[in-house]
Amino acid sequence: MNRAVSIAALMAGALCLIAAPSSAVARTSAPASAETDAGPVLVSPADWRAMAETGARYPMFAAEQARVERLVRAAMAHGVDVPVPADPGGGRTHEQHKRNYQALYGAGTLYRLTGERAYADFARDMLLEYARLYPTLGDHPAGRGQTPGRLFWQSLNDSVWLVYGSQGYDAIRDTLNPEDRRTIDEQVFRRMARFLSEETPQTFERIHNHATWAVAGVGMTGYVLRDRDLVEKALTGLSKNGEAGFIRQIDLLFSPDGYYSEGPYYQRYALAPFIIFARAIEQNEPERGIFRHRDGVLLKAVDTLIQASYGGYFIPINDAILDKGLDTEELVTGVAVAYARTGDPRLLSIAEAQGRTLLSPDGLKVAEGLAAGAARPFEFRPVLISDGPDGENGALAILRANGPDGQALVLKATGQGMGHGHFDKLNWLFYDNGQRVVTDYGAARFLNIEAKSGGVYLPENTSWAKQTVAHNTLVVNEQSHFGGDWRVGEEHAPEPLLFDIAEGTQIVSARMTSAYDGVVFTRTQALLEHPDLNRPVVVDLLRVEGDRPARYDLPLHFNGHIMTVGWEAQRGVAARPVLGEANGYQHLWVDASSQPSAETRSLAWLLDGRFYTYRFGASAASRAILVESGANDPDFNLRREPALIQRLDGQSDATFFSVLEPHGRYDGTAETVTGSESRIRDIRRLRGDDAEVIVLTLTSGRILALGVADSAEADRTHSVTADGQTYQWTGGYARFDRERPA
Amino acid sequence: MNRAVSIAALMAGALCLIAAPSSAVARTSAPASAETDAGPVLVSPADWRAMAETGARYPMFAAEQARVERLVRAAMAHGVDVPVPADPGGGRTHEQHKRNYQALYGAGTLYRLTGERAYADFARDMLLEYARLYPTLGDHPAGRGQTPGRLFWQSLNDSVWLVYGSQGYDAIRDTLNPEDRRTIDEQVFRRMARFLSEETPQTFERIHNHATWAVAGVGMTGYVLRDRDLVEKALTGLSKNGEAGFIRQIDLLFSPDGYYSEGPYYQRYALAPFIIFARAIEQNEPERGIFRHRDGVLLKAVDTLIQASYGGYFIPINDAILDKGLDTEELVTGVAVAYARTGDPRLLSIAEAQGRTLLSPDGLKVAEGLAAGAARPFEFRPVLISDGPDGENGALAILRANGPDGQALVLKATGQGMGHGHFDKLNWLFYDNGQRVVTDYGAARFLNIEAKSGGVYLPENTSWAKQTVAHNTLVVNEQSHFGGDWRVGEEHAPEPLLFDIAEGTQIVSARMTSAYDGVVFTRTQALLEHPDLNRPVVVDLLRVEGDRPARYDLPLHFNGHIMTVGWEAQRGVAARPVLGEANGYQHLWVDASSQPSAETRSLAWLLDGRFYTYRFGASAASRAILVESGANDPDFNLRREPALIQRLDGQSDATFFSVLEPHGRYDGTAETVTGSESRIRDIRRLRGDDAEVIVLTLTSGRILALGVADSAEADRTHSVTADGQTYQWTGGYARFDRERPA
């Protein structure tokens, strides 16, 4: 069938559908006749028509259509293939059922866009196979955890199938004869929806991303089947009292700033069902104003997720795979839906970087906007993003300078983030030059790779990746925060104290009180620019107040090749001991260690042509230990990455202070090296009665100092005197710039 | 001065120069008067005029001019800065003198292109500073090795200064008053040329890239100063008898195929003086036909160097920094000069990838060609590149499939390559998917980074990077080839036996007889395609004939994260021993080892979304040892990289055989995994009287077998029978494709 004919056929079909308002049926629980109720409801016939008529004009839309055509044609060439479920994630049947929902979604879409009946017929044939198979299925043979699925090993994947499958079905449902329609309605979709709701309430009623996928699949199926009951349960829980369900999930899982409690990696994952289902709700029940709910928190969540990225990748706090970024399917969806509602041209530049958009009315708007040259750069800016439903469960702070590939400092002062949360209160990360400089390991997992425990979280995710020592924050007595119990962690969040962004000086401070019994620690971090410095430097001040002497370890996981070890180090050149016994320490080889010393030390490394000099000291004599991950890893599950641990023994109160300085350039192609020498001569810490001052003496002779009060209160005055110099200020912090000292 | 005026001024200047044929003076030894002898001779006035008039039309030329303008303007803003030499490579004075020759070269060029006198004046002022400084200099205070320089720590850098400085000077020499010209002629250029020739004959008379830079600098200075004597010495040696000098270097350092004996990394480095000086010779003495010398070997060298690259980077055999590639300055020069002579449009695509060209008549042609859309893809093809002046000192073999980012197998069967050569006879490398899969460490060096021994070769270059165990070839009794003595290595090269490229089957074979006393080893490697395999696989067969029982180690340095260790391994999870005592073994930590077994084993890893399964076995029971570099490395000079060592003890004759299979795809963004399972069920080795057969049984049930005769002679017939199957063929090798065995 050629294109002109197919569009004409589609329009004829669409005309007869317009008589039945697409949202009318969803509002009544009485089933209407199949003939009037079969048309698409997740996308309106008019919108389908607009896409079919104009999509080809816009390169991004046309390219996406071509991409989906390739995918669906490959599936059609392969033939309908609905295997009896057998394999875990990554296995043959798992991947085939994934391909099936993608093909189903694509085929339905292409049928609407081209009018080619073959697409609809393929979707029908596949669904009829599912109708034969699905009723025969019990729990998946490789079923895992609390909620095995039927098609997949975990019900989560079944939910995802339903979210996409229901959309594909919606698009072709009016092409079916009544018998096929009834068969597929009942044997596939209603059964799946029943399985994922009332038959697995332990998932459906949770406040968790797995539940969001479930309610989205069930609710969308409700719209497609004109089943008001399913929709209502999806929105307000099985008891329809609002204590569970989609609305409650929105209320509890997002902060007012649109931060999702599990962190960016899962925010990305959860965003898809939130956004897709909300879009379906808006289409069918616009009066709910779902995108205005809580001051538009779902749209804010899209913006916030983009802010929580660097170099195109999400900041990998908590369980996170490092290669996930702005180009993921979920954010393609989020950007399209958000842009269609806000018209924010900055989102277009993200869509442009993604290189694709949805074959949906929202995707059409994105493609139109890009074709019209409306894109504007997304503004990555310093932000303090609140966590918790009321915004009072800690926060994620991001300091930024010099644009998207410039410096970004992340202070993780968020809540625990449930079971995927790591034990890393007041952890920090640093990015520069497009690279991860101070790092977070992320998750120990090879997603969907069967050879690695079937692609699930590896044992080392618990024994290493979640542990405090795998992060850049305080470890007391080689124990992890909250004793490594995330449920305890859920009860305690850091308290943000300070967040101030000024020209050349950005600062954030937060305090953690219950990670360890009897220990309070306060971290203040600043990004400081200075004309004598090549680039902004990070000043880090971590103050610990403990009720008894303890071992305090402060790790720094850095990325790069060591250039100089600026202290007397005992090298493990022919034997490397393991650092400790448990809580992640068993995974660290000791490369070098030192005797205790009160002197400040430095470590310099090279990463992607830039030098980094890290200078560090403490309030009492400390050791410096260079380590590498990879010990006690029998299955080679861990990446091997270096870290520096500063260790302070026998103190109750203590302060760690450091400066990280990016500088210079190594250009391998041109064989030139510039600025390989640090521009900081030394750093010192001065202690006053109720405040500290970190003093940087630059090689130029100038002094750059940062005063930080123990209390962040705005109206208190502080004074620190040492060596005849007095630093005096009012408020939580002050910066001092001085010429050469007398 | 605006552009129109400056071009007019330039043209006026050029007109008066045309009266004196640019090459006339160089052909006579009688000095002509300064007035008629001051015009440019390295580029003709007419060519300068053409560039000034038309360069702006061609984007690449215009962009390069803008780039050089930025560079030179920055230098002019900084002011003339000619420091007293003090620092080694990477240090302040070193880098400043480098910047100076670049600025001088750029300023001269820009003066010719724009007519702006300020450029010429800046060059003059800088050179007058050099005229004051240079006569006061003795050996460089940080002088290194046999030949300390004057401006730089090694005279090599002084030579480079002269190659570029002489070009800059040539362009502005006619703007000087006679006194300044005489001062600069005598105090800078003639002194430098004298220093680099008769005062350091130990460099000048060598057959080595350092000597090439020296003769180029001296010879070009000869043309600029109209000093026939200097030119003659540069071309034929201090004694002018042709036993040294440029011509002799061309004759001895390149093979007939244009391979430079030190390998691609140094070929790249040496190419610049060869090409630049040849270009100057052609300009001044076209009758020498320098680019036709030895069947055009200098132009072949450009083509061969490009062939010896993958993914934009040179194949890092011998001492080589991994980040050097096609975009280096030297190859920008080579491509421009070669294109201007051959008009080969495939070179234009390389220039396009380089993104820049020279501000020279040749660069103008490149920019014109690109602007005209004349570029054609460079054809990376399987090649056997001979080594040695007569082409009989071994060869470098490259098998290739599926285009520039497809598979490339490199078998290094070249000669030693002098002092930068590694002890790695019959080493191999493998590339796929744009990545280094089977790797060569390259050189242990951080070029120009002062913190790393001043940027020179590190001690670990000798103790690790050059040693045999750091490569993928046979180690006997934990000793390196030739006892680690490169002078011995110079006497012995491998013998290529076979090189055959057919559709779906590419094969190469070579033999090494004198790497170890009493040991001959023959390696045959094939790249085989098969419809049931995802991608071409590598079959590797290494046959050793020894005169006494020995320890045979065969390392495989691979790149990626281990997915599965397909054998019973004793893991060093809490303590990692060091593998050995010397010859590189002292740098290897043992991660896992095994008991001897006659079974074949497999190791699978993941690299950049692709899986690699390596299956390997031997003719007798062997051990498999997983190791990582980094032991006994007190200064953190080494990268830490994994390797697999297959170890066979107590045999005299032995065969190692293996298959490397790239397969599947992990897509982190889409969360899909395909083809993660190997499509090879097992591999077996069958031995006949005078031949071996490696049999691959595919998971499809089909058989793919490669028969390899002990002798590569074409007319001998071989027969190997096992398990009721007979493999019979005539010649060095045969491929067998069989359906499922009965």
Side-chain angles (χ1 to χ4, degrees), chain B residues 658-681:
Chain B
S658 65
V659 174
L660 176 61
E661 176 195 8
H663 56 98
R665 174 153 196 256
Y666 165 71
D667 180 337
T669 295
E671 299 195 359
T672 55
V673 175
T674 52
S676 65
E677 296 295 311
S678 163
R679 296 193 186 175
I680 298 175
R681 189 181 301 149

Side-chain angles (χ1 to χ4, degrees), chain A residues 98 571 576 632-633 671, chain B residues 98 571 573 576 633 671:
Chain A
K98 273 176 70 174
R571 279 296 316 274
R576 299 204 295 179
N632 285 296
D633 173 25
E671 299 195 0
Chain B
K98 272 176 71 175
R571 280 296 316 273
V573 292
R576 300 204 297 179
D633 173 26
E671 299 195 359

Side-chain angles (χ1 to χ4, degrees), chain B residues 123-441:
Chain B
R124 175 199 63 208
D125 293 348
M126 187 200 296
L127 286 169
L128 288 171
E129 274 306 307
Y130 272 102
R132 270 185 282 277
L133 174 71
Y134 195 80
T136 71
L137 299 178
D139 280 354
H140 191 281
R144 191 175 72 91
Q146 292 187 307
T147 50
R150 298 229 154 129
L151 293 174
F152 298 93
W153 65 337
Q154 44 179 354
S155 68
L156 170 61
N157 301 102
D158 288 58
S159 298
V160 177
W161 194 105
L162 192 55
V163 166
Y164 291 98
S166 62
Q167 294 178 74
Y169 184 45
D170 182 55
I172 63 121
R173 193 164 171 267
D174 64 358
T175 70
L176 302 180
N177 66 45
E179 188 188 335
D180 286 347
R181 183 156 61 233
R182 199 174 319 112
T183 301
I184 294 169
D185 277 5
E186 300 306 321
Q187 305 307 318
V188 182
F189 287 93
R190 207 176 309 274
R191 277 179 181 264
M192 281 196 194
R194 201 182 309 130
F195 168 64
L196 291 169
S197 56
E198 52 202 57
E199 293 174 19
T200 48
Q202 70 276 26
T203 296
F204 191 81
E205 300 278 278
R206 285 178 77 188
I207 304 300
H208 186 277
N209 80 66
H210 288 201
T212 309
W213 282 101
V215 301
V218 169
M220 290 164 73
T221 298
Y223 287 127
V224 175
L225 301 188
R226 282 65 173 168
D227 183 333
R228 184 69 219 166
D229 182 60
L230 282 180
V231 172
E232 207 49 57
K233 285 175 175 164
L235 289 169
T236 60
L238 292 175
S239 311
K240 301 186 189 173
N241 62 4
E243 286 180 11
F246 191 64
I247 305 298
R248 184 78 173 157
Q249 290 170 12
I250 297 174
D251 291 348
L252 293 183
L253 287 173
F254 289 100
S255 80
D257 289 339
Y259 180 80
Y260 177 77
S261 62
E262 294 183 283
Y265 177 81
Y266 276 99
Q267 176 150 352
R268 179 264 327 161
Y269 188 63
L271 198 66
F274 274 111
I275 292 287
I276 294 170
F277 188 28
R279 182 66 177 76
I281 294 167
E282 190 188 54
Q283 184 72 30
N284 287 279
E285 304 181 76
E287 65 281 10
R288 282 190 181 270
I290 190 72
F291 284 113
R292 294 189 305 277
H293 187 71
R294 291 189 70 203
D295 198 22
V297 74
L298 288 180
L299 300 180
K300 276 188 196 170
V302 174
D303 197 83
T304 293
L305 180 56
I306 298 170
Q307 287 291 353
S309 71
Y310 182 93
Y313 294 96
F314 299 122
I315 293 166
I317 52 175
N318 294 334
D319 282 345
I321 309 279
L322 301 185
D323 61 10
K324 285 288 180 189
L326 301 181
D327 61 348
T328 43
E329 176 87 24
E330 298 90 345
L331 195 58
V332 169
T333 302
V335 164
V337 172
Y339 174 72
R341 264 127 215 97
T342 65
D344 182 346
R346 305 169 318 138
L347 292 173
L348 290 179
S349 65
I350 302 297
E352 195 163 32
Q354 292 170 332
R356 48 178 288 238
T357 190
L358 300 182
L359 297 181
S360 77
D362 304 329
L364 187 68
K365 289 208 175 81
V366 167
E368 280 176 13
L370 280 174
R376 295 292 171 270
F378 190 88
E379 183 204 357
F380 289 97
R381 59 183 193 278
V383 281
L384 183 72
I385 305 165
S386 68
D387 188 13
D390 52 5
E392 298 192 347
N393 200 42
L396 184 71
I398 308 176
L399 310 182
R400 293 217 193 229
N402 298 314
D405 279 345
Q407 295 73 44
L409 185 160
V410 179
L411 179 64
K412 190 201 183 210
T414 64
Q416 181 66 24
M418 300 188 280
H420 290 300
H422 286 194
F423 303 104
D424 61 347
K425 302 289 109 177
L426 308 191
N427 182 31
W428 71 295
L429 293 80
F430 185 65
Y431 295 90
D432 175 47
N433 192 29
Q435 301 289 323
R436 304 162 57 239
V437 179
V438 174
T439 62
D440 188 312
Y441 190 90

Side-chain angles (χ1 to χ4, degrees), chain A residues 326-397:
Chain A
L326 300 181
D327 61 348
T328 44
E329 175 87 24
E330 298 90 346
L331 195 59
V332 170
T333 302
V335 164
V337 172
Y339 173 72
R341 265 128 214 97
T342 64
D344 182 348
R346 304 169 319 139
L347 291 172
L348 291 178
S349 65
I350 302 296
E352 194 162 31
Q354 291 170 332
R356 48 178 289 236
T357 190
L358 300 181
L359 298 181
S360 77
D362 303 330
L364 187 68
K365 289 208 174 81
V366 166
E368 281 176 13
L370 281 173
R376 295 292 171 268
F378 190 88
E379 182 205 357
F380 289 96
R381 60 183 192 278
V383 281
L384 182 71
I385 304 166
S386 68
D387 187 12
D390 53 6
E392 298 193 345
N393 200 45
L396 184 72

Side-chain angles (χ1 to χ4, degrees), chain A residues 507-720:
Chain A
I507 192 164
V508 60
S509 184
R511 179 169 297 152
M512 187 66 210
T513 47
S514 304
Y516 297 102
D517 286 346
V519 176
V520 175
F521 60 102
T522 306
R523 188 165 219 163
T524 304
Q525 298 195 300
L527 200 55
L528 303 180
E529 298 180 56
H530 188 284
D532 293 352
L533 291 170
N534 196 247
R535 289 187 172 76
V537 298
V538 177
V539 175
D540 178 30
L541 182 68
L542 180 74
R543 202 160 53 78
V544 191
E545 295 161 283
D547 61 359
R548 73 203 81 167
R551 163 168 288 181
Y552 294 140
D553 282 345
L554 184 60
L556 182 88
H557 297 265
F558 63 94
N559 184 16
H561 195 118
I562 291 176
M563 291 288 108
T564 46
V565 176
W567 69 88
E568 182 98 1
Q570 288 82 51
R571 279 296 316 274
V573 292
R576 299 204 295 179
V578 174
L579 183 61
E581 295 295 318
N583 305 320
Y585 283 76
Q586 74 275 26
H587 290 299
L588 292 171
W589 299 110
V590 177
D591 264 311
S593 56
S594 76
Q595 293 304 308
S597 163
E599 300 292 302
T600 60
R601 299 181 171 100
S602 70
L603 179 72
W605 64 88
L606 174 67
L607 173 65
D608 195 38
R610 188 160 294 170
F611 298 91
Y612 296 89
T613 297
Y614 181 67
R615 297 172 184 279
F616 56 104
S619 54
S622 67
R623 298 170 192 267
I625 310 172
L626 282 164
V627 296
E628 189 183 50
S629 56
N632 285 296
D633 173 25
D635 297 321
F636 294 91
N637 285 340
L638 292 178
R639 298 192 306 274
R640 295 170 174 190
E641 298 180 344
L644 164 69
I645 296 180
Q646 194 177 5
R647 171 166 287 182
L648 223 162
D649 278 314
Q651 303 291 313
S652 309
D653 294 349
T655 298
F656 294 92
F657 61 101
S658 65
V659 174
L660 177 61
E661 176 195 6
H663 56 96
R665 175 153 195 258
Y666 165 72
D667 180 338
T669 296
E671 299 195 0
T672 54
V673 175
T674 52
S676 65
E677 296 295 309
S678 164
R679 296 193 185 175
I680 298 175
R681 189 180 300 150
D682 67 49
I683 64 168
R684 285 201 306 154
R685 164 186 172 259
L686 311 178
R687 177 69 205 175
D689 290 338
D690 60 358
E692 322 234 3
V693 179
I694 306 302
V695 182
L696 285 61
T697 305
L698 309 187
T699 54
S700 65
R702 283 172 164 166
I703 301 285
L704 168 60
L706 186 72
V708 178
D710 295 352
S711 158
E713 283 171 50
D715 53 354
R716 282 164 69 168
T717 296
H718 312 276
S719 177
V720 176

